[in-house]
Amino acid sequence: RMQAMQQYTAVTQDPSDAGKNFRIAASAHPNVEKAGTVHRQSSILRIWKQRHVVVTADSYMYWYGSPQDSAPEDVISLKKATGVRRDDGFGRPNSFVVSSKGGVFPFSVATEEEMESWLRVVGKGIVRATTTEWDETSDRIAEQQQQPQQ
């Protein structure tokens, strides 16, 4: 039986993602920055559904129906994200939005502290994805400054 290959719309337009396998089980990510339960608003019916979200060190945000799922429902490349911000306009407490060239992705979590944590992790992922060259250079400069002078 042939299984249709799922297209992850938020990443398929980026040539640098061509050939990358995004069908990774929720529990199999080797480089997790943060994982946990959030509510995500569906794009068509605008229904809030509980999802398991994983943000990875290589700046991707995956979401799954549950932590046991073998493949994500969708993936956002944080390289394509234009920002992450708190947004109380969705009628749910502790809501935040990830904006990208592929659309707006609303999420909601249980507490203000949890929301702040997601904002920090996703924001860091966006910065890391969009400033790689600067980061490498600044890291080398920082290392050189920390070395004792002869």
Side-chain angles (χ1 to χ4, degrees), residues 20-33:
K20 181 169 174 58
N21 179 16
F22 292 105
R23 293 184 60 80
I24 302 170
S27 59
H29 290 280
N31 54 358
V32 175
E33 290 281 311

PDB file of all heavy atoms in Angstrom, residues 20-33:
ATOM      1  N   LYS A  20      15.503  17.562   2.780  1.00  0.00           N
ATOM      2  CA  LYS A  20      15.565  17.299   4.224  1.00  0.00           C
ATOM      3  C   LYS A  20      14.353  16.457   4.622  1.00  0.00           C
ATOM      4  O   LYS A  20      13.243  16.728   4.198  1.00  0.00           O
ATOM      5  CB  LYS A  20      15.580  18.618   5.004  1.00  0.00           C
ATOM      6  CG  LYS A  20      15.678  18.421   6.512  1.00  0.00           C
ATOM      7  CD  LYS A  20      15.963  19.740   7.211  1.00  0.00           C
ATOM      8  CE  LYS A  20      15.930  19.653   8.711  1.00  0.00           C
ATOM      9  NZ  LYS A  20      16.837  18.727   9.326  1.00  0.00           N
ATOM     10  N   ASN A  21      14.585  15.448   5.412  1.00  0.00           N
ATOM     11  CA  ASN A  21      13.501  14.586   5.878  1.00  0.00           C
ATOM     12  C   ASN A  21      12.922  15.160   7.165  1.00  0.00           C
ATOM     13  O   ASN A  21      13.568  15.150   8.209  1.00  0.00           O
ATOM     14  CB  ASN A  21      14.010  13.165   6.118  1.00  0.00           C
ATOM     15  CG  ASN A  21      12.916  12.251   6.626  1.00  0.00           C
ATOM     16  OD1 ASN A  21      11.735  12.572   6.538  1.00  0.00           O
ATOM     17  ND2 ASN A  21      13.310  11.109   7.148  1.00  0.00           N
ATOM     18  N   PHE A  22      11.702  15.661   7.084  1.00  0.00           N
ATOM     19  CA  PHE A  22      11.041  16.235   8.259  1.00  0.00           C
ATOM     20  C   PHE A  22      10.171  15.210   8.982  1.00  0.00           C
ATOM     21  O   PHE A  22       9.575  15.510   9.996  1.00  0.00           O
ATOM     22  CB  PHE A  22      10.193  17.442   7.855  1.00  0.00           C
ATOM     23  CG  PHE A  22      11.020  18.596   7.389  1.00  0.00           C
ATOM     24  CD1 PHE A  22      11.111  18.911   6.045  1.00  0.00           C
ATOM     25  CD2 PHE A  22      11.734  19.362   8.295  1.00  0.00           C
ATOM     26  CE1 PHE A  22      11.887  19.965   5.621  1.00  0.00           C
ATOM     27  CE2 PHE A  22      12.510  20.413   7.885  1.00  0.00           C
ATOM     28  CZ  PHE A  22      12.591  20.724   6.532  1.00  0.00           C
ATOM     29  N   ARG A  23      10.096  13.980   8.464  1.00  0.00           N
ATOM     30  CA  ARG A  23       9.266  12.940   9.093  1.00  0.00           C
ATOM     31  C   ARG A  23      10.046  12.302  10.244  1.00  0.00           C
ATOM     32  O   ARG A  23      10.542  11.186  10.129  1.00  0.00           O
ATOM     33  CB  ARG A  23       8.832  11.910   8.053  1.00  0.00           C
ATOM     34  CG  ARG A  23       7.874  12.485   7.025  1.00  0.00           C
ATOM     35  CD  ARG A  23       7.386  11.429   6.068  1.00  0.00           C
ATOM     36  NE  ARG A  23       6.683  10.348   6.770  1.00  0.00           N
ATOM     37  CZ  ARG A  23       5.417  10.392   7.192  1.00  0.00           C
ATOM     38  NH1 ARG A  23       4.713  11.465   7.002  1.00  0.00           N
ATOM     39  NH2 ARG A  23       4.881   9.351   7.793  1.00  0.00           N
ATOM     40  N   ILE A  24      10.164  13.038  11.322  1.00  0.00           N
ATOM     41  CA  ILE A  24      10.918  12.601  12.494  1.00  0.00           C
ATOM     42  C   ILE A  24       9.920  12.377  13.629  1.00  0.00           C
ATOM     43  O   ILE A  24       9.053  13.217  13.866  1.00  0.00           O
ATOM     44  CB  ILE A  24      11.956  13.674  12.894  1.00  0.00           C
ATOM     45  CG1 ILE A  24      12.907  13.955  11.741  1.00  0.00           C
ATOM     46  CG2 ILE A  24      12.700  13.272  14.161  1.00  0.00           C
ATOM     47  CD1 ILE A  24      13.793  15.158  11.952  1.00  0.00           C
ATOM     48  N   ALA A  25      10.043  11.272  14.310  1.00  0.00           N
ATOM     49  CA  ALA A  25       9.158  10.999  15.453  1.00  0.00           C
ATOM     50  C   ALA A  25       9.369  12.050  16.537  1.00  0.00           C
ATOM     51  O   ALA A  25      10.478  12.559  16.720  1.00  0.00           O
ATOM     52  CB  ALA A  25       9.440   9.605  16.005  1.00  0.00           C
ATOM     53  N   ALA A  26       8.298  12.353  17.246  1.00  0.00           N
ATOM     54  CA  ALA A  26       8.357  13.392  18.284  1.00  0.00           C
ATOM     55  C   ALA A  26       9.444  13.104  19.309  1.00  0.00           C
ATOM     56  O   ALA A  26      10.091  14.017  19.823  1.00  0.00           O
ATOM     57  CB  ALA A  26       7.001  13.514  18.967  1.00  0.00           C
ATOM     58  N   SER A  27       9.689  11.826  19.590  1.00  0.00           N
ATOM     59  CA  SER A  27      10.658  11.462  20.629  1.00  0.00           C
ATOM     60  C   SER A  27      12.069  11.248  20.078  1.00  0.00           C
ATOM     61  O   SER A  27      12.973  10.917  20.835  1.00  0.00           O
ATOM     62  CB  SER A  27      10.193  10.186  21.323  1.00  0.00           C
ATOM     63  OG  SER A  27      10.086   9.147  20.357  1.00  0.00           O
ATOM     64  N   ALA A  28      12.273  11.435  18.771  1.00  0.00           N
ATOM     65  CA  ALA A  28      13.552  11.068  18.152  1.00  0.00           C
ATOM     66  C   ALA A  28      14.455  12.248  17.801  1.00  0.00           C
ATOM     67  O   ALA A  28      15.512  12.050  17.220  1.00  0.00           O
ATOM     68  CB  ALA A  28      13.289  10.247  16.880  1.00  0.00           C
ATOM     69  N   HIS A  29      14.073  13.458  18.152  1.00  0.00           N
ATOM     70  CA  HIS A  29      14.912  14.619  17.826  1.00  0.00           C
ATOM     71  C   HIS A  29      16.186  14.604  18.667  1.00  0.00           C
ATOM     72  O   HIS A  29      16.118  14.523  19.893  1.00  0.00           O
ATOM     73  CB  HIS A  29      14.149  15.924  18.064  1.00  0.00           C
ATOM     74  CG  HIS A  29      13.053  16.164  17.093  1.00  0.00           C
ATOM     75  ND1 HIS A  29      13.270  16.655  15.836  1.00  0.00           N
ATOM     76  CD2 HIS A  29      11.725  15.946  17.183  1.00  0.00           C
ATOM     77  CE1 HIS A  29      12.115  16.745  15.199  1.00  0.00           C
ATOM     78  NE2 HIS A  29      11.162  16.319  15.995  1.00  0.00           N
ATOM     79  N   PRO A  30      17.363  14.723  18.033  1.00  0.00           N
ATOM     80  CA  PRO A  30      18.610  14.669  18.793  1.00  0.00           C
ATOM     81  C   PRO A  30      18.994  16.003  19.441  1.00  0.00           C
ATOM     82  O   PRO A  30      19.836  16.043  20.314  1.00  0.00           O
ATOM     83  CB  PRO A  30      19.641  14.282  17.730  1.00  0.00           C
ATOM     84  CG  PRO A  30      19.083  14.830  16.458  1.00  0.00           C
ATOM     85  CD  PRO A  30      17.585  14.735  16.591  1.00  0.00           C
ATOM     86  N   ASN A  31      18.383  17.102  19.005  1.00  0.00           N
ATOM     87  CA  ASN A  31      18.871  18.419  19.426  1.00  0.00           C
ATOM     88  C   ASN A  31      17.725  19.329  19.859  1.00  0.00           C
ATOM     89  O   ASN A  31      17.516  20.393  19.298  1.00  0.00           O
ATOM     90  CB  ASN A  31      19.656  19.065  18.281  1.00  0.00           C
ATOM     91  CG  ASN A  31      18.843  19.112  16.984  1.00  0.00           C
ATOM     92  OD1 ASN A  31      17.714  18.628  16.924  1.00  0.00           O
ATOM     93  ND2 ASN A  31      19.397  19.710  15.961  1.00  0.00           N
ATOM     94  N   VAL A  32      17.000  18.908  20.895  1.00  0.00           N
ATOM     95  CA  VAL A  32      15.810  19.629  21.343  1.00  0.00           C
ATOM     96  C   VAL A  32      16.186  20.828  22.206  1.00  0.00           C
ATOM     97  O   VAL A  32      16.921  20.698  23.180  1.00  0.00           O
ATOM     98  CB  VAL A  32      14.878  18.682  22.135  1.00  0.00           C
ATOM     99  CG1 VAL A  32      13.697  19.434  22.725  1.00  0.00           C
ATOM    100  CG2 VAL A  32      14.415  17.537  21.251  1.00  0.00           C
ATOM    101  N   GLU A  33      15.671  21.994  21.833  1.00  0.00           N
ATOM    102  CA  GLU A  33      15.812  23.200  22.663  1.00  0.00           C
ATOM    103  C   GLU A  33      14.673  23.263  23.679  1.00  0.00           C
ATOM    104  O   GLU A  33      14.866  23.660  24.806  1.00  0.00           O
ATOM    105  CB  GLU A  33      15.761  24.456  21.787  1.00  0.00           C
ATOM    106  CG  GLU A  33      16.974  24.651  20.908  1.00  0.00           C
ATOM    107  CD  GLU A  33      18.148  25.223  21.682  1.00  0.00           C
ATOM    108  OE1 GLU A  33      17.977  26.214  22.399  1.00  0.00           O
ATOM    109  OE2 GLU A  33      19.247  24.657  21.561  1.00  0.00           O
TER     110      GLU A  33
END
